């Protein structure tokens, strides 16, 4: 490899050893790959044969309403990244508690009903399969118990799912692990982490490679929250940065916008290409 590359990369001849020569080759390969991705991103701005114009597509960044109806309006094969947090716990307000004065959320007396939340997610994942590009990525916040159900749904529409969920370890401003929601506190420990499903389709590669599958980020302080389960923007930035090649054009979709942390992170990293 180095011998062949020496004919087109003059600085290889100045390398002191084979290890340094390999690093030079790897760096040049990354530079050329990045240049090619930028070129492809510029080509995306052109109106497609089927009439899809990304410039107009970006104008409506937030579509309010039913997520499935909204996704059905999107063209086939246009989204690069899906980063989202589905609304688990749909039934929590309809189940009686043993003590009305205690928070139902703190008690943890609710359970997600498969025929509701997972039926919704199966439809959303089907749309992700349709509107995602042949090479695309997905991050979906999930419960530990629901991971394998979601994994199966993504695999049915052509995705490869990382064998285990990523872990978001919750810390405070001093880096100390926080005590989160305690479900049935008389029986179980408090939750201090959350799980994230990661999936990909196609031959795409991570921009930042070799990073751990545990992400340590500060939670949003209660006094600063605008949404009950608001995710820190830094967490979403960490996730997106692992995928996105700087200088390239990409589109990100969050079907469950919540407090908008995903869009804030995407805007900082990618510009306007998020909805």
């Amino acid at each position: 490899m180095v011998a062949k590359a020496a004919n087109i990369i003059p600085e290889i001849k100045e390398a002191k050893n084979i290890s340094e020569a390999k690093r030079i080759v790897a760096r040049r390969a990354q530079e050329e790959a990045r240049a090619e991705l930028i070129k492809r991103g510029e080509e995306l701005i052109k109106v497609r044969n089927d009439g899809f114009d990304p410039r107009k597509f970006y104008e409506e960044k937030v579509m309010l309403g039913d997520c499935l109806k909204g996704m059905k309006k999107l063209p086939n094969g246009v989204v690069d990244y899906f980063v989202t947090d589905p609304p688990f716990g749909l039934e929590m307000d309809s189940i009686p508690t043993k003590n009305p004065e205690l928070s139902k959320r703190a008690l943890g007396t609710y359970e997600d009903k498969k025929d509701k939340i997972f039926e919704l997610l199966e439809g959303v994942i089907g749309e992700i399969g349709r509107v995602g590009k042949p090479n695309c990525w997905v991050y979906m916040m999930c419960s530990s118990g629901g991971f394998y159900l979601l994994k199966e749904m993504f695999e049915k529409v052509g995705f490869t799912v990382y064998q285990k969920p990523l872990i978001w370890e919750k810390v405070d401003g001093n880096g100390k692990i926080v005590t989160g929601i305690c479900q049935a506190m008389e029986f179980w420990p408090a939750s201090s982490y959350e799980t994230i499903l990661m999936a990909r389709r196609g031959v795409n590669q991570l921009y930042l490679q070799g990073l751990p599958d545990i992400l340590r980020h500060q939670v949003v302080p209660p006094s600063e929250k605008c949404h009950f389960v608001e995710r820190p923007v830094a967490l979403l930035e960490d996730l997106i940065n692992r995928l996105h090649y700087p200088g390239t054009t990409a589109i990100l979709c969050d079907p469950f916008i919540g407090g908008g942390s995903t869009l804030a992170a995407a805007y900082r990293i990618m510009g306007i290409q998020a909805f």
Side-chain angles (χ1 to χ4, degrees), residues 163-214:
Q163 61 184 345
K164 55 185 177 179
L166 307 184
I167 300 295
W168 166 33
E169 186 180 51
K170 301 178 179 180
V171 298
D172 61 19
N174 298 316
K176 183 180 178 180
I177 295 177
V178 302
T179 300
I181 294 175
C182 183
Q183 299 189 355
M185 63 190 75
E186 61 269 44
F187 302 116
W188 308 117
S191 174
S192 296
Y193 72 91
E194 293 193 31
T195 50
I196 307 168
L197 178 146
M198 181 180 185
R200 66 177 179 85
R201 183 170 67 186
V203 295
N204 43 348
Q205 295 186 354
L206 292 168
Y207 172 63
L208 299 177
Q209 301 177 2
L211 296 181
D213 54 7
I214 296 178

Side-chain angles (χ1 to χ4, degrees), residues 3-4 43 49 60 89 96 114 120 130 135 143 157 168 172 183 190-192 212 233 246 262:
K4 291 180 180 179
E43 291 174 351
N49 293 333
E60 188 174 24
K114 180 180 178 182
L120 169 64
R130 181 184 66 82
N135 298 324
S143 63
V157 293
W168 166 33
D172 61 19
Q183 299 189 355
S191 174
S192 296
V233 174
T262 299

